[in-house]
Amino acid sequence: MTPIIPLVLAVALFMENMDATVIATSLPAIAADIGTTPIALKLAFTAYFVALAIFIPLSAWVADTFGAKRVFMAAIVVFIIGSIACAVSGSLLEFVFARFVKGMGGAMMTPLARLILFRTTPRTDLVNAMAWLTIPALVAPTMGPPVGGFLTTFLSWHWIFIINVPIGLAGLALIARYLPDVESDAPRPIDVPGFFLVAVAFAGTLFGLSLLSLPVLPLWVAIGSTVLGLGCGLVYWRHAWRAPVPLLDPRIFREPAFRASILGTSMFLIGVGAIPFLLPLMLQIGFGMTPFESGLVTFVGAFGALITKFFAKSLYSAIGFRTALMTAAVVSAVATGIKGTFTPETPIAVMMVLIFVAGLFRSAYFTGQHALGLSQIQDSEAGQATAISTVARPIATALGVALAGGVVELSAHARGGELALHDFQIAFFVVAAVSALAIIPFVRLNRDAGSEVSGHLSREERERALERSRSQGHDGRSPRL
């Protein structure tokens, strides 16, 4: 198999994954330059995740309607335009809008890269091709924090967005040259009312919750936005049960393993999803580090996540999905809480070791939850299961950022002073507690759920296998003399 197609697709995904990690180290510098506070920039995180949640469900329909290659290239162009808009933003409103535009492009890039690879690769080569495609998702997060910190410290924060322009243009040239045209399936009917209900539900709820603790707009705007979003969510829930082809089908939650995976991971992400936003801010505002210094401390978490890929399969085979996921969730929550005890006197090596270990368990959790969620799903429901799983992640992450930012703001307001280390420490304790709730959906799940995928044998199955082995050994071998 030639790796040219997955590597060409990987260029765009590298740009997207790099962008997701470089911005975290630059928030204080961006805030100072555009006249806002670092915590207010949680709206920029929220805008990006809202765009992902809204437009990801449309990706397959858009690709089948207009052509996967054409839409993929258009998504890169939109992402580049959003990057340039971020770099030239002069206010919070402009920056939030630019991040939303980037999210529109990003929402199409990852799903379509997987779709294109699936449709252009022989089934016998699909595993190897996916391995090449996942390289940017593994490498970019390790490079993002130090690269973003370096550019911000020694040049300016604008460069973390400008750098996307040459990478994106190179990706477009490679796609035009090497990527073949992709056959389209008959597009599935689009649920137009469902799309608008979902869009308002996600945007209204997430922006409303993010605004509650910020004096950017009057309080009634935040409350009204949240109520509108929740109301549209309830209307969509009723609509989805009646629509012949709903945008996101709630019926799939009847499957216990999928339901536990989505609910558990949502709680998990509300906790750990806030860390890329919270930790760099604490290191810079609370500890006085430069963006480059904070990036050199935090990148080891992504390195730990990279190493996990080499032993995650063996872990789930040995102890099963349920036990492994609950253990990873508890350890990750404890590690998140310990980060709240960091002080400027804490040795850098100690912080990096803890961040590295937390990255190991966080990645182990994410590796298993998706496989568990799909383990009992019928082939006809796989598309909906993947869409719901993909949409749930940015929503939960945005909720985590909103929660963490709100706790920091409320803590500082209660003290009547500027942001301080104490405020970030409280936020870490809160999100750690929320993250620990991820074990609840798995408690009632069958201990051997997903064993066909994990390869884990129950105790009874192990005993039967051992008995068969002993029996075969007794009957099939001649006794030694």
Side-chain angles (χ1 to χ4, degrees):
M1 182 205 80
T2 174
I4 186 64
I5 291 179
L7 285 178
V8 167
L9 296 172
V11 172
L13 300 193
F14 179 86
M15 176 178 63
E16 183 180 5
N17 282 277
M18 174 76 81
D19 181 83
T21 52
V22 296
I23 186 175
T25 58
S26 308
L27 293 180
I30 297 173
D33 207 27
I34 65 175
T36 187
T37 66
I39 301 302
L41 285 177
K42 69 181 181 181
L43 293 175
F45 274 77
T46 301
Y48 187 84
F49 292 131
V50 166
L52 292 181
I54 291 174
F55 292 103
I56 282 175
L58 292 180
S59 58
W61 178 83
V62 174
D64 287 332
T65 302
F66 301 102
K69 179 179 178 179
R70 185 181 297 111
V71 174
F72 189 68
M73 295 180 71
I76 295 176
V77 172
V78 172
F79 196 87
I80 293 173
I81 292 172
S83 296
I84 296 172
C86 285
V88 301
S89 295
S91 68
L92 177 61
L93 181 60
E94 292 176 2
F95 192 71
V96 169
F97 179 75
R99 289 289 293 175
F100 185 84
V101 172
K102 288 187 71 173
M104 292 173 61
M108 298 289 168
M109 287 164 64
T110 299
L112 289 189
R114 294 173 179 169
L115 177 66
I116 292 170
L117 193 67
F118 182 80
R119 291 181 178 176
T120 58
T121 305
R123 297 295 175 268
T124 54
D125 293 332
L126 194 57
V127 173
N128 287 335
M130 286 300 298
W132 284 103
L133 185 66
T134 56
I135 288 176
L138 300 177
V139 175
T142 65
M143 297 176 59
V147 169
F150 178 87
L151 293 174
T152 303
T153 301
F154 299 107
L155 294 174
S156 75
W157 64 266
H158 306 81
W159 285 95
I160 68 174
F161 301 109
I162 296 173
I163 197 174
N164 287 331
V165 177
I167 297 175
L169 293 176
L172 288 173
L174 291 172
I175 291 169
R177 173 67 177 83
Y178 294 106
L179 198 65
D181 290 325
V182 182
E183 292 185 8
S184 297
D185 293 337
R188 169 180 170 163
I190 186 66
D191 178 15
V192 176
F195 169 72
F196 285 105
L197 286 171
V198 164
V200 177
F202 292 163
T205 303
L206 294 176
F207 277 119
L209 292 175
S210 296
L211 287 168
L212 281 175
S213 63
L214 292 176
V216 178
L217 293 172
L219 181 61
W220 68 266
V221 176
I223 295 175
S225 176
T226 304
V227 171
L228 176 63
L230 293 175
C232 285
L234 291 176
V235 173
Y236 175 77
W237 184 264
R238 292 173 58 87
H239 163 81
W241 286 94
R242 299 173 180 175
V245 188
L247 185 71
L248 298 171
D249 194 346
R251 297 174 184 85
I252 201 168
F253 281 95
R254 292 169 173 168
E255 206 294 305
F258 180 80
R259 182 173 64 247
S261 171
I262 295 299
L263 296 179
T265 301
S266 295
M267 299 306 299
F268 187 75
L269 270 169
I270 290 175
V272 303
I275 294 176
F277 168 79
L278 204 56
L279 186 56
L281 284 180
M282 185 179 77
L283 294 177
Q284 293 180 51
I285 296 175
F287 289 26
M289 290 186 179
T290 66
F292 186 47
E293 290 170 337
S294 70
L296 290 177
V297 172
T298 59
F299 90 99
V300 294
F303 188 65
L306 175 62
I307 293 178
T308 303
K309 303 300 181 183
F310 296 102
F311 68 82
K313 183 176 181 180
S314 299
L315 171 68
Y316 285 102
S317 177
I319 63 177
F321 280 123
R322 178 177 177 268
T323 302
L325 289 172
M326 292 177 67
T327 302
V330 170
V331 174
S332 295
V334 171
T336 300
I338 293 176
K339 290 172 184 172
T341 67
F342 288 169
T343 68
E345 289 72 36
T346 304
I348 296 296
V350 172
M351 290 193 290
M352 294 182 70
V353 168
L354 180 71
I355 294 170
F356 173 79
V357 172
L360 289 174
F361 284 91
R362 184 173 66 251
S363 179
Y365 180 93
F366 286 132
T367 300
Q369 63 85 24
H370 186 64
L372 170 65
L374 296 179
S375 63
Q376 307 297 320
I377 295 296
Q378 301 296 322
D379 289 346
S380 59
E381 299 177 321
Q384 272 294 302
T386 301
I388 292 174
S389 176
T390 306
V391 167
R393 292 189 66 161
I395 293 174
T397 304
L399 287 173
V401 172
L403 173 64
V407 171
V408 171
E409 283 282 340
L410 292 175
S411 175
H413 180 74
R415 289 188 303 99
E418 298 293 327
L419 295 180
L421 175 59
H422 176 72
D423 306 318
F424 293 99
Q425 291 174 327
I426 293 176
F428 270 111
F429 296 146
V430 171
V431 299
V434 175
S435 182
L437 298 177
I439 68 171
I440 295 177
F442 298 109
V443 170
R444 299 184 61 184
L445 193 64
N446 189 298
R447 186 181 298 272
D448 302 314
S451 59
E452 299 86 353
V453 175
S454 68
H456 174 66
L457 299 178
S458 66
R459 182 170 63 182
E460 293 78 8
E461 290 172 325
R462 288 196 299 271
E463 290 175 353
R464 288 196 295 268
L466 182 60
E467 189 64 31
R468 287 195 301 268
S469 177
R470 288 172 178 170
S471 174
Q472 292 170 356
H474 176 74
D475 296 333
R477 293 195 302 267
S478 299
R480 290 186 177 182
L481 299 176

